Amino acid sequence: MRFHWLVAGVAAAALMAGCGTTTAVTAHPSFPPGNPIRGAKLFASTCEACHGPQAQGTPGLAPNLTARSLTTLYTAEWELSEFIYQYMPKTSPGSLTRQQASDMGAFLWGLNGKLGVATRNKLFTLVGLPIPPSSSPSTSSSSSSSSSSSSASSPPSSASPSVSTAVGQFLKVNAASKTVTLNLVASYTNANSGLNYDGYGNGKLVVTVPTGWTVDVTLSNKGPLPHSAAIVKGSTSTSPAFPGAGLPGSELTSGIAAGQSANFSFKAGSAGKYRIACLVVGHEALGMWDTFVVTSSGSPSIKA
């Protein structure tokens, strides 16, 4: 983040001195309260190489952390801190202390305006971002909320075909070889704050395959955060229900990055109802799962 801390020491000290009301209260027993100014300094030394000096992201490498998609995927600051604690930085995951993760979470939470306009403006100044034009916080919040709600509930634009009428495009059937090809696109739309496959989450997409059929899965990630996919037995399952029914190796829980794709293949086993779930920490609990049904007979299908 190219902070010139020696040159800007006085300014940084002033910000810290006036930051008594900007310290984030992380309401979770596992994490201490985070300080966004400390988090900004840590971000400069730990995350700038990938995410850029102003957290603006690097195409093909790391997502933009100021685009509000970050704070729509996490409902509480401690959830963001938990993700940072377990998976960041990418080059050395798990190397941060809980305090450092909490500070980093507070910095990103504040940078996205979740700690109030005053804190956001201080952090913008600290990282060299222009202060947004003055506007009523309530109007800004209302507009943002309305926009978010609209994009989450409305069907995709013409640039992205409506999944409600084109869901069949994601499943191809070869009856002769008893093989189905399932294309899962993570964050295909903004539905459920981007936590979806092919535009659906919370079990609303239903894929049905007869037992004994081979299922070839391609997972593509359109979202800003890592995502994975696996066929699991239930909400508490952490491993695939059938051999090979999930991303291989560490990708099963760490996911694939934005813009990447991965494949896995398995044979549908015992008849029953299962889940297609993202096993990246916290994502399934936030609704990133759909329904996978194995039947004893019949034909493959997909519906929503």
Side-chain angles (χ1 to χ4, degrees):
M1 190 178 288
R2 297 200 188 95
F3 284 106
H4 302 293
W5 292 109
L6 293 178
V7 176
V10 174
L15 284 172
M16 292 189 71
C19 203
T21 60
T22 63
T23 298
V25 178
T26 307
H28 192 270
S30 297
F31 289 92
N35 184 293
I37 303 302
R38 284 201 308 258
K41 291 182 176 181
L42 183 61
F43 186 92
S45 62
T46 306
C47 308
E48 175 186 337
C50 292
H51 288 282
Q54 297 171 334
Q56 76 274 21
T58 303
L61 179 63
N64 183 343
L65 300 179
T66 65
R68 286 195 176 273
S69 56
L70 184 76
T71 52
T72 60
L73 289 175
Y74 297 95
T75 57
E77 185 190 323
W78 72 264
E79 293 176 352
L80 175 58
S81 298
E82 175 71 29
F83 178 84
I84 294 169
Y85 179 68
Q86 292 198 43
Y87 298 107
M88 294 291 120
K90 196 72 172 180
T91 54
S92 184
S95 61
L96 299 178
T97 65
R98 289 185 178 276
Q99 181 64 69
Q100 288 174 321
S102 189
D103 289 343
M104 190 89 75
F107 164 63
L108 295 174
W109 210 242
L111 201 64
N112 280 269
K114 301 290 280 188
L115 300 180
V117 173
T119 298
R120 182 204 63 188
N121 290 350
K122 287 180 180 180
L123 294 175
F124 269 41
T125 299
L126 191 59
V127 303
L129 284 170
I131 302 298
S134 58
S135 60
S136 167
S138 59
T139 301
S140 174
S141 173
S142 174
S143 172
S144 173
S145 174
S146 175
S147 173
S148 174
S149 173
S150 174
S151 62
S153 59
S154 301
S157 66
S158 57
S160 180
S162 173
V163 294
S164 62
T165 59
V167 71
Q169 70 179 299
F170 300 110
L171 187 72
K172 305 302 180 184
V173 179
N174 186 326
S177 63
K178 292 188 175 182
T179 300
V180 298
T181 300
L182 176 61
N183 291 313
L184 296 174
V185 183
S187 299
Y188 183 62
T189 70
N190 288 329
N192 194 38
S193 299
L195 291 172
N196 64 74
Y197 294 115
D198 301 340
Y200 295 93
N202 290 296
K204 294 178 181 178
L205 183 70
V206 181
V207 178
T208 300
V209 176
T211 184
W213 280 55
T214 297
V215 184
D216 295 329
V217 181
T218 296
L219 172 69
S220 304
N221 186 4
K222 286 185 64 178
L225 296 179
H227 293 300
S228 73
I231 308 301
V232 298
K233 291 182 178 179
S235 60
T236 60
S237 301
T238 57
S239 59
F242 314 116
L247 292 186
S250 62
E251 288 181 342
L252 184 65
T253 53
S254 63
I256 58 173
Q260 292 187 346
S261 296
N263 304 283
F264 60 92
S265 182
F266 66 97
K267 184 166 288 189
S270 302
K273 183 179 286 188
Y274 302 87
R275 286 186 172 203
I276 306 168
C278 180
L279 298 185
V280 173
V281 63
H283 289 195
E284 182 182 9
L286 291 173
M288 195 165 184
W289 66 276
D290 282 301
T291 304
F292 188 85
V293 179
V294 179
T295 58
S296 57
S297 61
S299 302
S301 65
I302 185 171
K303 64 180 182 179

